[in-house]
Amino acid sequence: MRYRSDRDSLGTVKIPADAYYGPFTGRAIKQYHVTGQNPHPYLIKSFVMIKRSAAIANMKAKTLDRKQGNAIVKACDKILAGKYQDQFVVDMINSGAGTAFNMNTNEVIANVALMILGKKLGQYNFLHPNDHVNMSQSSNDTYPTAMNMSILFALDMLLPIINKLIMSLTKKAKQFSKYKKIGRTHLMDALPVTLGSEFDAYVTSIAKSSHAIIHSKKQLEQIALGGTAVGTGANTPKVYRKIAIRELAKISKLGLVEQKNMQHSLQSKFAIANTSSTIRNLAVELGKISNDIRLMASGPVAGFGELEIPAVHAGSSIMPGKVNPSLAECMNMICFSIIGNDTTVAFAAQAGQFELNVMLPVMLKAVLDSTDMLTNFTPIFTANLIAGLSANKE
């Protein structure tokens, strides 16, 4: 493999000759062997949108040369169109406050911009990752902004999926409305209910969970961009913040607004912890529903046998014809993972010191892991389990 020599404040680093990342990233990938996961697509998208918006704001503030600024904007547009995704190589859990990923982004954009300007990779004297791409920014305000955006993008994908689950449960509640059964408390016989009323209660549980998630988005829409290192806006032109956030809201199509107290945005992760808790509460309800389905379908000869579940695959490697509640079990495992992820977020959110919480990457990974699991599996859970449930009339 051929290499080039890139230089930073610590000295010279050998970088693969055709790599669009630079010296900071070259050092970081040797240090952060953690999850083996590449940066989440929503994180890349959010960060590149931030850099694009910052370049426009800096040009309008007359602090960034137009030739350099326009090259940065064009570079960002290429990345947002799907190019250079393999150049974002820093592990999801990396340096405190996500500095390593911020610099990975700065370097990739700088090198793409250099090529647009007709220069060679690594010729940072013409356009620099820190001085130009990162102008008027810090990892301390860009990463929190990108966190909020990434989670908002994830929720915009998840919420319609949850709504389809609510619709499916509502359909089952109506379908099962005439089937009387014994209600149970303490797992013992209690008073009569209908199978439909049980499912109607599930509808209420998931609808309340969804509403709480929607409500939490308002906090996430208040962003830290412009706060720079400690939330005071140091090293930013007066007009920068308003323009940058306006541009960011425009390109992202998210309802982003200024967080009035920028120091709060850097110190506190209230908005992230709040949203994580609403996702956890959804998981708690989904887990309870999955447990009920497993119990009502148990047997069917020697169990409750009230529900018949669709056979999605053979339930056993040794007992032919056995049908297991495998999708409900999978949902249970997802819910356990989400509850654990929320605990990670809670510990990380309280672990900040003074003007900055530095535990940002692990928080973001935890929340996006939770939303990804629900987004990926809930449509299968809805279509292949809930929609296929039938009542055992006998």
Side-chain angles (χ1 to χ4, degrees):
M1 181 182 286
R2 293 188 307 109
Y3 291 90
R4 70 174 191 265
S5 292
D6 276 16
R7 187 170 183 79
D8 65 4
S9 59
L10 297 181
T12 301
V13 184
K14 283 190 174 181
I15 303 294
D18 58 352
Y20 282 81
Y21 57 79
F24 197 114
T25 307
R27 295 183 193 279
I29 57 178
K30 293 179 180 178
Q31 306 302 322
Y32 302 112
H33 287 277
V34 187
T35 68
Q37 292 182 14
N38 289 331
H40 197 285
Y42 291 151
L43 179 60
I44 298 170
K45 178 181 178 180
S46 299
F47 248 98
V48 174
M49 286 180 172
I50 289 167
K51 301 299 175 181
R52 186 185 192 279
S53 301
I56 292 171
N58 283 319
M59 284 191 286
K60 289 187 176 179
K62 300 187 185 329
T63 54
L64 179 62
D65 174 77
R66 286 212 160 265
K67 190 174 180 182
Q68 292 170 322
N70 286 329
I72 291 169
V73 170
K74 287 177 184 176
C76 291
D77 288 341
K78 284 178 179 285
I79 296 166
L80 292 171
K83 295 182 178 180
Y84 309 107
Q85 299 295 304
D86 61 343
Q87 299 300 303
F88 296 87
V89 292
V90 172
D91 197 283
M92 272 298 285
I93 298 180
N94 55 85
S95 58
T99 303
F101 182 76
N102 181 32
M103 284 306 303
N104 187 177
T105 305
N106 289 331
E107 290 174 345
V108 172
I109 293 171
N111 277 306
V112 175
L114 283 169
M115 297 297 284
I116 290 169
L117 292 171
K119 307 301 178 184
K120 293 180 180 179
L121 298 175
Q123 289 188 315
Y124 303 129
N125 53 311
F126 293 103
L127 194 150
H128 198 278
N130 296 78
D131 297 341
H132 302 117
V133 182
N134 199 59
M135 182 183 284
S136 304
Q137 304 151 69
S138 164
S139 302
N140 299 355
D141 69 326
T142 55
Y143 203 97
T145 299
M147 286 177 75
N148 288 20
M149 291 175 65
S150 298
I151 295 168
L152 286 167
F153 285 135
L155 295 182
D156 283 348
M157 288 293 293
L158 174 61
L159 286 166
I161 288 168
I162 298 303
N163 194 49
K164 286 182 180 178
L165 172 60
I166 292 169
M167 290 167 63
S168 187
L169 289 168
T170 301
K171 189 175 179 181
K172 287 297 162 184
K174 291 176 181 175
Q175 184 182 328
F176 297 155
S177 62
K178 294 181 181 178
Y179 297 122
K180 294 178 182 178
K181 56 166 282 185
I182 192 70
R184 298 181 181 89
T185 59
H186 303 266
L187 286 178
M188 308 301 285
D189 295 348
L191 295 171
V193 296
T194 67
L195 186 59
S197 68
E198 285 185 320
F199 272 75
D200 193 51
Y202 300 155
V203 171
T204 301
S205 295
I206 302 304
K208 281 180 175 287
S209 300
S210 178
H211 179 74
I213 293 171
I214 292 167
H215 186 71
S216 78
K217 290 172 64 179
K218 288 294 178 187
Q219 293 287 337
L220 291 172
E221 289 169 349
Q222 300 173 33
I223 58 172
L225 190 63
T228 64
V230 292
T232 61
N235 296 332
T236 60
K238 283 187 179 180
V239 297
Y240 166 80
R241 189 173 193 228
K242 286 187 182 297
I243 298 171
I245 292 176
R246 185 174 69 231
E247 289 292 331
L248 191 54
K250 184 169 142 186
I251 191 170
S252 67
K253 295 182 172 59
L254 299 172
L256 304 177
V257 295
E258 297 178 35
Q259 166 57 254
K260 291 181 180 178
N261 191 322
M262 292 188 289
Q263 283 185 261
H264 163 77
S265 289
L266 273 59
Q267 288 179 5
S268 170
K269 292 298 109 196
F270 175 86
I272 303 291
N274 182 50
T275 298
S276 177
S277 70
T278 66
I279 297 167
R280 177 207 64 210
N281 289 344
L282 171 63
V284 168
E285 298 301 326
L286 284 170
K288 193 271 181 192
I289 292 167
S290 297
N291 289 338
D292 282 1
I293 290 171
R294 289 168 62 199
L295 285 169
M296 283 191 277
S298 63
V301 175
F304 291 136
E306 295 170 349
L307 280 177
E308 294 176 354
I309 56 176
V312 295
H313 56 66
S316 172
S317 62
I318 192 173
M319 293 171 279
K322 190 170 187 286
V323 177
N324 290 342
S326 302
L327 298 183
E329 293 163 350
C330 184
M331 181 59 84
N332 277 138
M333 289 186 276
I334 289 168
C335 293
F336 303 154
S337 295
I338 291 170
I339 292 166
N341 285 338
D342 181 61
T343 301
T344 296
V345 171
F347 275 107
Q350 65 84 39
Q353 304 90 18
F354 304 115
E355 273 57 67
L356 184 67
N357 186 306
V358 300
M359 309 300 175
L360 307 181
V362 73
M363 274 189 265
L364 181 59
K365 180 185 179 298
V367 176
L368 291 180
D369 279 354
S370 294
T371 55
D372 281 351
M373 285 188 287
L374 288 172
T375 298
N376 292 337
F377 185 70
T378 305
I380 299 167
F381 180 79
T382 301
N384 297 350
L385 178 64
I386 301 300
L389 290 172
S390 57
N392 183 343
K393 297 177 185 180
E394 293 181 6

